[in-house]
Amino acid sequence: MPKMPGLSRAAMILAAIGPSIFFVLATQSETTQESTPLLLAVHDAPIPFTGSDGRTHLVYELWMTNFTSGEAEIQKVEVLGDGVVLQTLDQAAIATRLQPAGQRDSTGTMAKGTQSLLFLHLILPSGAQIPQQLTHRVEAHYAAAPPTYQHVTETGGTVTVDRREVLQIAPPLNGSNYVSADSCCDATRHTRAALPINGSVYLAQRYAVDWEQLDADNRIYNGPREKLESYTIFGKPVLAVADATVAVVVKGQREQIPGKFPTDISLDQADGNAIILDLGQHRYALYAHMQSESIHLQRGAKVKRGQIIGLVGNSGNSVAPHLHFQLMDSELSLGSNGLPYEIKDFQVTAKTPGTKAFDEAEANGNPLALTPFTPALAVKDALPLDQLIITFASQ
Ligand SMILES: [Zn+2]
């Protein structure tokens, strides 16, 4: 047996047993050793930003590996900011936020030897200081451990909050009655889109929005569902959100027939006709699903804030005309880290009942039952949160 300084003989024997030990190891060293059957890590530090509710939000993923030979039931997660509990998730909340790697359904348990992502969303109390460091206290029950050692609480996944400047941009569209569909922070389709690309897992769409638009009767479309022109947003001008350089142009893809997702789309074609703008300082803006013939820019071209760069379409992996918009840290639309941003000036006029009602309205063309904000909320320098009705004034 190799020499292991600082370990007692008992600890040496336990260490030799392997990973399925759940004891607090006796030691004569000053450094304690504890069994941590759940390995915790944060790969992308959260970047605090201001949401359209005026609050500071932090969005990130806690990676968990169940390093045991049995099921782990995650019972409680506390998020600590500089040592103070900021958020407590009970078993029911965990069950809606914990997803096994590569899966879209959430569950509060982890099978033996598997990895899951816990999707976290912290909203800081008004006036609260942004913590410098976050860590996580996790309580779990391990089926593989002897009865007295089945309940383990451990702390880990410590991360320094990323205080890089959040970019303030102009709106990507102009006009009223836009819907911020699948926006931050608890809608699952973008915020939880963890994708394995080029050998790593990326969440490029963490802060993406699928912009839709309602007509005067609050309908997403009026007329035949499969007709592009039935959709309020179809053909609306898409705007540069800042002075920028065109980094990527994808053209030549046909418009899809609304009402069903295309079945023959490759990963390369998922964005449809798309433009990626280089905003500087490793920040890129993606505009996806545009009309091919509306795009006249080429890679390397300079654009001015507010300039029309194309028209909203329904190309690529899209079920209805909309503008998918996101910011990320490289010019890869999927293989990059999604970044938050703040839009300089907009109004929130109402909210929808939620994603389910939105999906139904997109499917059947019925009016969305909105809850109006009277008076409308004038918002400055914030990220439009999920399922709001928004007016963008021209900048
Ligand atoms: Zn999208």
Side-chain angles (χ1 to χ4, degrees):
M1 197 166 191
K3 213 171 165 218
M4 296 171 77
L7 284 187
S8 70
R9 185 177 165 74
M12 284 167 70
I13 292 165
L14 286 169
I17 295 169
S20 60
I21 48 168
F22 286 84
F23 309 92
V24 174
L25 300 177
T27 176
Q28 290 167 355
S29 158
E30 299 212 335
T31 309
T32 58
Q33 301 180 92
E34 289 178 16
S35 170
T36 53
L38 208 57
L39 304 180
L40 305 172
V42 174
H43 296 173
D44 299 318
I47 303 169
F49 65 91
T50 304
S52 51
D53 58 356
R55 309 283 288 272
T56 301
H57 297 253
L58 290 88
V59 176
Y60 65 106
E61 307 81 34
L62 178 63
W63 289 69
M64 297 185 175
T65 305
N66 173 13
F67 208 91
T68 78
S69 56
E71 191 175 88
E73 188 182 74
I74 314 303
Q75 297 176 325
K76 186 177 172 187
V77 175
E78 289 172 300
V79 181
L80 293 90
D82 300 333
V84 177
V85 176
L86 297 177
Q87 188 182 59
T88 302
L89 300 179
D90 63 12
Q91 210 161 348
I94 293 162
T96 66
R97 293 186 166 274
L98 186 67
Q99 294 181 193
Q103 296 182 45
R104 284 306 188 100
D105 294 323
S106 55
T107 165
T109 58
M110 296 177 65
K112 59 184 177 184
T114 60
Q115 194 165 49
S116 293
L117 282 81
L118 182 67
F119 292 91
L120 289 167
H121 174 205
L122 295 181
I123 307 173
L124 298 183
S126 295
Q129 270 210 327
I130 295 170
Q132 290 182 353
Q133 198 174 64
L134 298 171
T135 194
H136 310 85
R137 192 153 59 212
V138 180
E139 280 182 45
H141 181 273
Y142 297 91
T148 17
Y149 298 101
Q150 284 185 326
H151 191 86
V152 178
T153 299
E154 58 178 274
T155 300
T158 301
V159 64
T160 300
V161 172
D162 186 339
R163 297 304 304 272
R164 83 180 76 174
E165 193 188 342
V166 175
L167 198 64
Q168 290 174 349
I169 58 172
L173 294 155
N174 187 16
S176 60
N177 264 11
Y178 286 107
V179 188
S180 54
D182 288 313
S183 183
C184 204
C185 305
D186 297 310
T188 60
R189 285 188 284 238
H190 288 143
T191 312
R192 300 189 186 181
L195 297 175
I197 305 286
N198 299 347
S200 294
V201 175
Y202 291 98
L203 286 106
Q205 304 179 21
R206 195 183 284 113
Y207 306 97
V209 180
D210 282 342
W211 288 106
E212 263 297 356
Q213 192 179 26
L214 305 179
D215 68 7
D217 295 320
N218 297 333
R219 292 173 301 202
I220 292 170
Y221 69 90
N222 180 25
R225 184 186 183 188
E226 57 288 341
K227 205 170 155 226
L228 295 163
E229 290 75 17
S230 300
Y231 291 77
T232 315
I233 201 170
F234 185 73
K236 291 292 158 66
V238 173
L239 310 176
V241 294
D243 295 352
T245 306
V246 176
V248 175
V249 177
V250 182
K251 286 181 65 170
Q253 293 193 59
R254 66 183 163 85
E255 294 297 308
Q256 302 292 343
I257 297 165
K260 56 179 193 292
F261 277 105
T263 52
D264 55 348
I265 291 278
S266 70
L267 200 61
D268 274 351
Q269 299 169 323
D271 297 329
N273 306 304
I275 289 181
I276 295 174
L277 297 181
D278 181 349
L279 309 179
Q281 297 181 301
H282 305 288
R283 291 173 171 111
Y284 296 80
L286 165 69
Y287 304 76
H289 313 302
M290 292 157 69
Q291 298 180 32
S292 179
E293 61 282 7
S294 74
I295 298 174
H296 305 292
L297 293 165
Q298 277 163 10
R299 182 180 173 89
K302 304 280 183 205
V303 294
K304 286 280 177 201
R305 187 179 79 157
Q307 180 181 330
I308 296 173
I309 60 172
L311 302 177
V312 174
N314 190 45
S315 53
N317 189 31
S318 180
V319 74
H322 72 285
L323 175 69
H324 171 106
F325 178 81
Q326 71 185 39
L327 247 62
M328 65 255 177
D329 70 355
S330 88
E331 61 177 51
L332 299 177
S333 64
L334 299 170
S336 61
N337 189 26
L339 300 175
Y341 53 88
E342 293 165 354
I343 295 182
K344 284 181 180 157
D345 206 354
F346 58 96
Q347 286 196 333
V348 183
T349 57
K351 64 176 183 181
T352 82
T355 299
K356 190 166 169 280
F358 174 85
D359 288 349
E360 284 166 11
E362 194 177 63
N364 60 29
N366 291 343
L368 257 172
L370 303 180
T371 305
F373 287 12
T374 337
L377 207 63
V379 181
K380 286 201 188 306
D381 302 331
L383 189 140
L385 299 175
D386 191 32
Q387 292 292 336
L388 299 174
I389 308 301
I390 294 201
T391 297
F392 293 123
S394 49
Q395 299 288 300

